[in-house]
Amino acid sequence: MNVTLLIPARYGSSRFPGKPLAPINGKPMIQHVYERASLAKGLSAIYVATDDQRIKEAVDAFGGNVVMTDPQAASGTDRIEDAIKQLGLNDNDLVVNLQGDQPLIDPISIEQIITLFERHPNEFGMATLGVEITEQSELDDPKHVKMVFDNDFYALYFSRARIPFGRDTNEHPVYKHLGIYAYTRSFIATFAKLPLGRLEDLEKLEQLRALEYGYKIKVAISAFDSPEVDTPEDIRICEARLAVD
């Protein structure tokens, strides 16, 4: 199975402009993401998908691969679709979408999501990962997206609110969604043509579009958290974590 990992990266961010190039222990964040992803087994190629020349130059400097995408791309999926077309991937190829703000991604998590498609061929077109929340502060923080899934590990819903909400007890696991997806090339082509979903628009969570239009999202639970960088303070947290590792 041909597996291409794409790392979408935008320079613009309302909370943290230039985030992909923010230095973490002397390296731009995008380099940390790229290098950690490159440790995963089973990948055929890795590309950073960006529309910004500054990001391209940074990736070129550390020897990474870049595909330049349309600056008018409306969403992350549109950016991925644009990159896929330029790379000429086949319908049966697998695409892993790793967000460019996850410098602590564990390579095993990437391998885990690839394994889902190897073990369940032709059963679904999209998969993602979750991890059990252990930090109480994350439970009601809308920055951390929560998820619920059925007994066969298919996603039921994603929300910025705490789900499930225990009416009588809070002694139950709550799972956080990790910003990594995998899809078949043919599924992305279908997904990119779907209109904006009502729930997607309310929660501002693009993956809800797939559920709203009746598509399955397979879920695997990872043993490794992958904190996202949203603010400059998160950079300091990453540096502390890397110092321990």
Side-chain angles (χ1 to χ4, degrees):
M1 180 170 58
N2 184 66
V3 183
T4 299
L5 185 141
L6 297 176
I7 306 171
R10 292 189 315 112
Y11 191 88
S13 171
S14 57
R15 287 185 293 181
F16 194 172
K19 182 168 64 171
L21 302 184
I24 300 176
N25 290 351
K27 295 181 183 179
M29 180 168 64
I30 193 67
Q31 183 173 352
H32 283 278
V33 180
Y34 194 103
E35 290 178 347
R36 288 178 79 94
S38 68
L39 298 175
K41 299 175 183 177
L43 295 176
S44 307
I46 302 175
Y47 293 89
V48 172
T50 186
D51 61 0
D52 191 276
Q53 186 64 28
R54 291 162 290 189
I55 294 175
K56 179 184 185 303
E57 290 172 358
V59 177
D60 287 341
F62 66 76
N65 299 315
V66 180
V67 56
M68 296 298 289
T69 55
D70 186 349
Q72 301 304 316
S75 67
T77 300
D78 291 326
R79 191 176 308 283
I80 292 293
E81 169 71 358
D82 184 13
I84 287 170
K85 287 180 179 178
Q86 293 189 53
L87 294 172
L89 301 186
N90 297 319
D91 281 352
N92 293 327
D93 288 347
L94 188 65
V95 178
V96 178
N97 176 357
L98 174 62
Q99 302 305 301
D101 57 4
Q102 295 193 72
L104 300 179
I105 185 69
D106 194 289
I108 293 176
S109 296
I110 298 172
E111 295 169 10
Q112 188 175 11
I113 202 170
I114 295 171
T115 300
L116 283 176
F117 283 85
E118 293 174 339
R119 292 181 177 175
H120 306 276
N122 305 316
E123 291 184 22
F124 48 86
M126 179 176 181
T128 194
L129 295 182
V131 66
E132 185 174 350
I133 292 177
T134 58
E135 298 290 336
Q136 289 294 310
S137 61
E138 295 182 356
L139 289 171
D140 295 303
D141 186 343
K143 182 179 74 173
H144 299 285
V145 175
K146 273 66 73 174
M147 61 190 299
V148 288
F149 44 87
D150 67 16
N151 292 335
D152 293 319
F153 288 87
Y154 284 102
L156 294 171
Y157 195 66
F158 299 85
S159 181
R160 298 187 182 278
R162 186 194 302 205
I163 53 173
F165 181 85
R167 190 194 70 171
D168 300 322
T169 179
N170 287 322
E171 300 300 319
H172 61 275
V174 176
Y175 292 91
K176 175 172 62 174
H177 180 228
L178 298 180
I180 179 172
Y181 302 92
Y183 349 64
T184 59
R185 167 68 183 92
S186 58
F187 177 82
I188 296 176
T190 298
F191 183 86
K193 296 175 183 176
L194 296 174
L196 178 73
R198 178 178 59 87
L199 298 173
E200 172 193 8
D201 192 35
L202 284 170
E203 296 258 19
K204 298 298 185 273
L205 297 173
E206 196 175 13
Q207 65 270 33
L208 286 175
R209 189 189 314 175
L211 298 183
E212 288 189 75
Y213 286 96
Y215 293 96
K216 291 183 175 182
I217 302 177
K218 188 72 169 179
V219 172
I221 301 304
S222 176
F224 307 100
D225 195 1
S226 180
E228 297 178 358
V229 171
D230 290 316
T231 66
E233 175 60 29
D234 293 332
I235 293 289
R236 291 185 280 275
I237 293 171
C238 285
E239 288 181 328
R241 284 275 299 271
L242 287 169
V244 173
D245 294 345

